[in-house]
């Protein structure tokens, strides 16, 4: 599917002079990928062209507030940290995300970019660690995977599969082998789809799925060159915003 079809009027895409539509900026522990557990400034942009069935940030699909790059950077500098995760929504749905990245890199920030893999990463600076999803069949969005993105990934980058069932696992295992993904990027992650309690104030806390144990066993049985992960922030705070 062409990128132009993913950039619809319902997605808050900006022009290079108009700043960015922002859902939130917050300071927390990184909950996944290679910097898991490290204090991180999260910059969550608004809008996403995908509608994965397991999405846990639907509140970032719409709304937000348009802010200039100067305003965003001023907010970022209030936090005692030089590590940034640019996330969404889908950050790359707003072209000016690249301009923000370049300015933050020039200010000495370490940046990771969480992207769904449906929009090109060609223009993302190589200094950024791209954490790119490959959507599995059960996500409902596997047809949106932009496979040409693999040409722009390096050992500095990461690929993530969210697994919902054995079908997803087998599909991901096939793609891992077919594209030699473990040689292409520094780390390939297999993550079980992770439900949490509806009310984070309840004592029940996050509901770590049985699938997590199954996925761990499947990876061991097949000796896959991947890393298993659970989302740390969900274990600590469930789906609380700003965490």
């Amino acid at each position: 599917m062409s990128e132009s079809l993913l950039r619809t009027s319902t997605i808050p895409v900006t022009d290079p002079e108009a700043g960015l539509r922002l859902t939130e900026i917050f300071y927390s522990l990184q909950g996944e990928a290679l910097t898991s557990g490290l204090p991180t400034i999260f910059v969550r942009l608004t809008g996403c062209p995908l509608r994965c069935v397991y999405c846990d940030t639907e509140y970032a699909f719409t709304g937000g507030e348009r802010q200039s790059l100067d305003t965003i950077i001023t907010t970022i500098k209030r936090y005692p940290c030089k590590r940034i995760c640019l996330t969404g929504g889908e950050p790359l749905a707003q072209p000016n995300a690249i301009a923000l990245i370049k300015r933050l890199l020039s200010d000495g920030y370490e940046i990771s970019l969480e992207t769904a893999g449906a929009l090109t990463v060609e223009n993302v600076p190589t200094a950024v660690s791209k954490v790119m999803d490959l959507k599995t069949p059960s996500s409902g969005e596997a047809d949106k995977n932009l496979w040409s993105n693999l040409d722009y990934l390096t050992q500095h980058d990461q690929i993530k599969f969210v697994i919902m069932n054995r079908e997803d696992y087998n599909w991901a295992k096939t793609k891992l082998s077919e594209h030699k993904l473990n040689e292409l990027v520094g780390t390939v992650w297999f993550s079980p789809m992770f439900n949490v309690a509806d009310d984070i104030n309840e004592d029940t806390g996050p509901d770590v799925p049985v699938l997590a144990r199954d996925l761990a066993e499947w990876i061991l049985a097949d000796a896959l060159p991947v890393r298993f992960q659970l989302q740390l922030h969900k274990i600590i705070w469930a789906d609380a915003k700003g965490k």
Side-chain angles (χ1 to χ4, degrees):
M1 178 175 292
S2 71
E3 287 198 32
S4 62
L5 294 178
L6 294 179
R7 296 184 186 277
T8 71
S9 60
T10 62
I11 303 170
V13 177
T14 65
D15 64 67
E17 301 300 324
L20 289 161
R21 188 166 290 278
L22 179 75
T23 294
E24 58 186 348
I25 298 178
F26 60 95
Y27 178 56
S28 187
L29 296 180
Q30 175 59 271
E32 53 190 316
L34 287 176
T35 56
S36 178
L38 291 174
T40 302
I41 302 165
F42 292 83
V43 180
R44 188 182 302 284
L45 301 186
T46 308
C48 185
L50 305 187
R51 292 296 183 268
C52 300
V53 300
Y54 49 70
C55 182
D56 56 6
T57 53
E58 293 181 359
Y59 65 90
F61 287 168
T62 59
E65 177 185 355
R66 192 181 297 277
Q67 297 186 18
S68 70
L69 299 189
D70 286 342
T71 298
I72 293 171
I73 290 171
T74 296
T75 301
I76 288 171
K77 288 183 176 180
R78 294 173 184 163
Y79 295 105
C81 184
K82 298 294 284 187
R83 188 177 301 104
I84 289 176
C85 176
L86 188 62
T87 186
E90 168 52 67
L92 296 180
Q94 300 191 54
N96 219 19
I98 301 298
L100 176 64
I101 287 171
K102 290 179 178 178
R103 288 191 56 177
L104 290 170
L105 287 173
S106 69
D107 285 342
Y109 284 91
E110 173 189 332
I111 303 173
S112 63
L113 170 74
E114 295 183 342
T115 179
L119 298 173
T120 184
V121 299
E122 179 179 5
N123 297 318
V124 178
T126 55
V128 173
S129 181
K130 299 179 285 292
V131 185
M132 192 184 82
D133 278 23
L134 285 176
K135 300 301 183 183
T136 54
S138 297
S139 73
E141 296 285 24
D143 64 319
K144 304 297 197 311
N145 288 320
L146 185 63
W147 293 100
S148 60
N149 270 335
L150 298 183
D151 295 335
Y152 305 109
L153 300 181
T154 72
Q155 287 292 309
H156 187 50
D157 301 319
Q158 306 164 58
I159 288 174
K160 181 179 70 175
F161 293 91
V162 176
I163 309 294
M164 294 185 68
N165 49 44
R166 183 74 196 210
E167 177 191 8
D168 282 352
Y169 173 80
N170 289 338
W171 182 90
K173 183 172 66 170
T174 297
K175 297 303 179 184
L176 175 73
S177 174
E178 178 182 338
H179 297 284
K180 297 181 173 58
L181 298 179
N182 59 297
E183 299 176 11
L184 183 65
V185 297
T187 306
V188 178
W189 299 97
F190 275 31
S191 302
M193 195 278 287
F194 194 173
N195 293 316
V196 296
D198 291 334
D199 184 351
I200 62 170
N201 294 318
E202 294 292 332
D203 293 334
T204 50
D207 178 19
V208 179
V210 174
L211 175 62
R213 182 179 300 163
D214 291 339
L215 178 57
E217 295 291 352
W218 299 337
I219 291 171
L220 288 170
D222 291 331
L224 293 188
V226 303
R227 294 181 69 168
F228 172 92
Q229 73 172 352
L230 292 174
Q231 293 169 298
L232 178 64
H233 54 290
K234 290 189 175 182
I235 296 172
I236 300 172
W237 292 295
D239 271 336
K241 291 183 182 180
K243 294 295 186 182

